[in-house]
Amino acid sequence: MSCEGFEIEEAEDGAVAVEMVKKSEPNYYDCVLMDIQMPIMDGYEATKKIRALGNPELANIPIIAMTANAFAEDKQLSKSAGMNDHLSKPIEPQLLYKTLADYIK
């Protein structure tokens, strides 16, 4: 799928997201937009598993939370799980693009 010039791949749950990153070549993905509330494995656990991958090029991919959880403690939970940033829903497109620009070279 393509959106605003970005090529997008979607994972139906956190466990699939982890496998997609794990099986990818370094630099295949520029960034992960991670929902927090997903079936099978939530975004916090998925992020921790990605951060624990043996290949540092994969483990250090930028991960941005995209979630309805908008309180300060939710943002802290995202950071504690290893996410680079936290965007609260509803997502403002311009803020999303600016945040992506901060992390994608």
Side-chain angles (χ1 to χ4, degrees), residues 78-93:
S78 295
K79 293 281 186 182
S80 295
M83 295 181 193
N84 298 84
D85 218 320
H86 181 108
L87 298 177
S88 300
K89 294 177 184 177
I91 301 297
E92 297 175 30

Side-chain angles (χ1 to χ4, degrees), residues 43-94:
Y44 299 128
E45 187 63 27
T47 297
K48 290 175 186 175
K49 289 193 178 294
I50 290 170
R51 294 296 185 231
L53 292 174
N55 183 335
E57 290 183 85
L58 298 176
N60 292 319
I61 188 168
I63 301 175
I64 300 168
M66 296 182 66
T67 178
N69 303 344
F71 295 108
E73 56 266 21
D74 298 315
K75 292 178 182 183
Q76 184 55 49
L77 284 170
S78 295
K79 293 281 186 182
S80 295
M83 295 181 193
N84 298 84
D85 218 320
H86 181 108
L87 298 177
S88 300
K89 294 177 184 177
I91 301 297
E92 297 175 30
Q94 293 307 317

Side-chain angles (χ1 to χ4, degrees), residues 3-4 6 87 92-102:
C3 177
E4 297 293 328
F6 293 98
L87 298 177
E92 297 175 30
Q94 293 307 317
L95 179 57
L96 173 60
Y97 302 143
K98 183 205 172 298
T99 303
L100 289 170
D102 289 344

Side-chain angles (χ1 to χ4, degrees), residues 22-38:
K22 185 178 180 179
K23 292 179 180 179
S24 71
E25 293 293 322
N27 301 312
Y28 178 78
Y29 295 114
D30 293 313
C31 185
V32 173
L33 300 176
M34 185 73 76
D35 195 359
I36 299 300
Q37 298 177 18
M38 294 184 287

